[in-house]
Structure formats: structure tokens, C-alpha cells
Amino acid sequence: MALAFVFPGQGSQSLGMLKGFDGDPAVRQTFEEASDVLGQDLAAMCAEGADAAVINATVNTQPLLLTTSVAVYRAWLAAGGAAPALAAGHSLGEYSALAAAGSIAFADAVKLVRLRAEAMQSAVPEGTGAMAAILGLPDDVIVAACAEAAQGDVVEAVNFNSPGQVVIAGSKAAVERAMALCKEKGAKRALPLPVSVPSHCALMKPAAEKLAAALADIQIVAPSFPVIHNVDVMSYADPAQIRDALVRQLYRPVRWVESAQKLAADGATVIAECGPGKVLVGLNKRVAESAQHVALTDLAAFDALKAVL
């Protein structure tokens, strides 16, 4: 059995997402480390009964998801779990994967994703960008609809999540035009997403420039296991190539379908989602059908994964 880990991105956060790991020392220590780096109590921020609007703000969501995912990974190792043979992460989750693989020190990754989130938010004034999910339409039809709807603005297909599920992003008016056009072309649904930042489109290029400057000051080493990058479905050992992939990822599409297929093609027979929620399990079941899929949402799931392995 070859094990792959996948790490979730924005949208997987929820209040109480640490409940299944109550009392775990590795989880507690990881949150304490991240909280010291940022000067905020991250565990309290996502506890049951806290303010959902706070964790849904991009500048908080990104470090919270990174910390939760790395905390779960460390807890898995502490419980005697094996390191994966390879890994991938959806958007922000790529940083979790690289931290888990030792390519980027965890404390550096926490600072990096906070800066990344701030740069993304500042690149596009709130209310002027948008994202939407298009369901039930072929990828090429969606790409063509975006090109037709742009009319000098930016709107692009940015997340190829699973067959029949693509996310588009860009300026608000252009996204609305593309949504209407996709419906005309037969989309089952076109759903606006509750986000404040149009991720992975050309509007993020100013943010990518800030990220590139920050990455230049971060020590990066070869990961201890291959990490598949969103932007080109490749894995790299060279720190310069890893930096370049992370910068391009910010304004280029997340090729998740191909990434999950790559994990399976490279031998993954078990794919475990490491972090809050089960979003990636749902997507991966549709594109890597030959593999078994497990979501590590609580300590009991560790035993289930060990049993599969």
C-alpha cells in the first residue's frame, strides 16, 4: 500500500474543527507554536462558539488551516503513523504539504501564509472581485465562456476541482457575465462563492510579486517526500523551482483533477486528507477511483487509516 496525503485549502475551515483532537499534545503544541509566531490565540479563534466571521477572513483562514493541517499531521506521526510516499495540497494546502515534508520550517510557513493572505486581500479592493462555482459544464466550455464574458475585464477558470465542478474568478461584473453565459450554455448551477478575494486569477499578480519577495528570504530545502504542485502538476527538489511554483500558483489555476490523478498514477493506493473537513475526499473519489480515501478528521480516523494500511 502506497500512502499519499492531501492537505485542504480555504473553505474547509469551521468553528470547532479541533474538537476531534481534544487533548492531543501534538495538536496543542502546534497551535501554541503558531500562536506565538502571530501573537494571536489561534485555538481560541476557531473554538466552538467563537465568531465565524473571524475565521472566514482570509488573513485568519490561511494560517488557521495551515496550522490545523500540520497539527493533524504531527499528531498522526506521534501516534505511530507512517510518513506518506507523496503529497499534494489544494491552493493554501500546498504550504501545509511543504511544511509537513520539511521543505519549509513550520514557523516560516505560518508567517508566509499570513503575508500571502494580506497581499491577496490588498491586491483587489473588497467588493470588486468575485468567485463562482460552475457545475455541470465541460471545462473547455467554461474557459470559452470566460473569454467571451471578459470584455476587457478579468474572468478566468481558476480551480479545476473535479469533472463538472470548476471555479471561476475575476472582477465582479465579469464573473457575473460569465455565470449568466455558463447558464445559457447549459450549466446546472452557477453559484457565487462567499469570498473576499478572487484567487488564482491575473488580478493576483501584484500579490505574487510581494510573495516572491518574501519567499526570497525564506529557507527552502528539498522536501522529504515529493509534493505535487498545483500550477504544473510537477514535484521539485530544487528550492528555486519550489519558490517559482508557489509564486505562479497565486495567479494561475489550481489543477486539482490532474494533481489527484498524478498521485494515483505515481502509485498512491490510499489517499488521506490531512486537516479539517472532507472536501478533498469528495473530489478525489471522483478522479482517483482506484484509490481508497480517508479523511483524518479526528483521532479515531487514525486507527481507520492504520487498518487500511
Side-chain angles (χ1 to χ4, degrees):
M1 287 286 190
L3 173 64
F5 268 34
V6 291
F7 296 85
Q10 282 187 246
S12 289
Q13 72 277 4
S14 64
L15 294 177
M17 62 187 178
L18 297 178
K19 189 175 181 180
F21 300 93
D22 277 350
D24 185 89
V27 172
R28 184 183 68 252
Q29 289 162 12
T30 303
F31 266 80
E32 287 173 355
E33 185 181 347
S35 296
D36 287 345
V37 168
L38 296 180
Q40 294 175 282
D41 187 340
L42 295 186
M45 192 184 289
C46 63
E48 286 186 295
D51 186 351
V54 173
I55 72 163
N56 289 332
T58 295
V59 293
N60 295 323
T61 307
Q62 295 200 24
L64 272 172
L65 282 173
L66 170 83
T67 302
T68 304
S69 296
V70 172
V72 173
Y73 181 72
R74 288 176 171 179
W76 162 254
L77 295 182
L86 63 168
H90 190 288
S91 187
L92 166 78
E94 199 165 287
Y95 291 80
S96 305
L98 289 166
S103 182
I104 302 175
F106 175 61
D108 286 340
V110 171
K111 288 183 260 188
L112 201 54
V113 299
R114 169 57 63 82
L115 179 144
R116 177 181 185 264
E118 290 171 345
M120 291 169 72
Q121 191 66 74
S122 65
V124 180
E126 195 158 353
T128 63
M131 298 182 77
I134 309 299
L135 307 181
L137 205 59
D139 294 358
D140 59 339
V141 177
I142 296 171
V143 170
C146 287
E148 187 178 339
Q151 298 175 20
D153 293 328
V154 171
V155 58
E156 300 166 6
V158 296
N159 290 1
F160 295 93
N161 286 331
S162 69
Q165 186 192 128
V166 174
V167 173
I168 64 173
S171 62
K172 192 169 186 292
V175 168
E176 289 170 351
R177 289 193 298 268
M179 288 170 65
L181 201 52
C182 285
K183 286 180 183 175
E184 285 179 23
K185 293 179 181 291
K188 290 178 182 175
R189 301 183 78 181
L191 306 169
L193 299 179
V195 297
S196 57
V197 174
S199 304
H200 301 292
C201 72
L203 296 177
M204 288 295 108
K205 284 189 176 179
E209 292 172 8
K210 292 180 181 178
L211 180 64
L215 279 164
D217 295 328
I218 297 285
Q219 182 181 19
I220 296 179
V221 299
S224 58
F225 45 80
V227 173
I228 308 300
H229 290 274
N230 294 173
V231 72
D232 53 15
V233 200
M234 299 284 288
S235 61
Y236 299 109
D238 178 13
Q241 290 177 303
I242 293 170
R243 287 188 179 90
D244 179 60
L246 290 174
V247 171
R248 287 186 291 130
Q249 185 225 55
L250 206 51
Y251 62 87
R252 298 293 299 155
V254 173
R255 294 163 59 180
W256 189 254
V257 170
E258 294 169 89
S259 297
Q261 290 170 338
K262 173 76 170 165
L263 294 175
D266 285 356
T269 51
V270 180
I271 302 178
E273 181 168 2
C274 187
K278 302 178 180 180
V279 171
L280 297 183
V281 165
L283 298 178
N284 294 346
K285 282 181 177 178
R286 301 182 60 193
V287 293
E289 296 174 12
S290 61
Q292 291 180 266
H293 302 273
V294 180
L296 300 179
T297 53
D298 54 33
L299 291 170
F302 288 0
D303 294 329
L305 179 54
K306 288 176 184 176
V308 168
L309 296 173

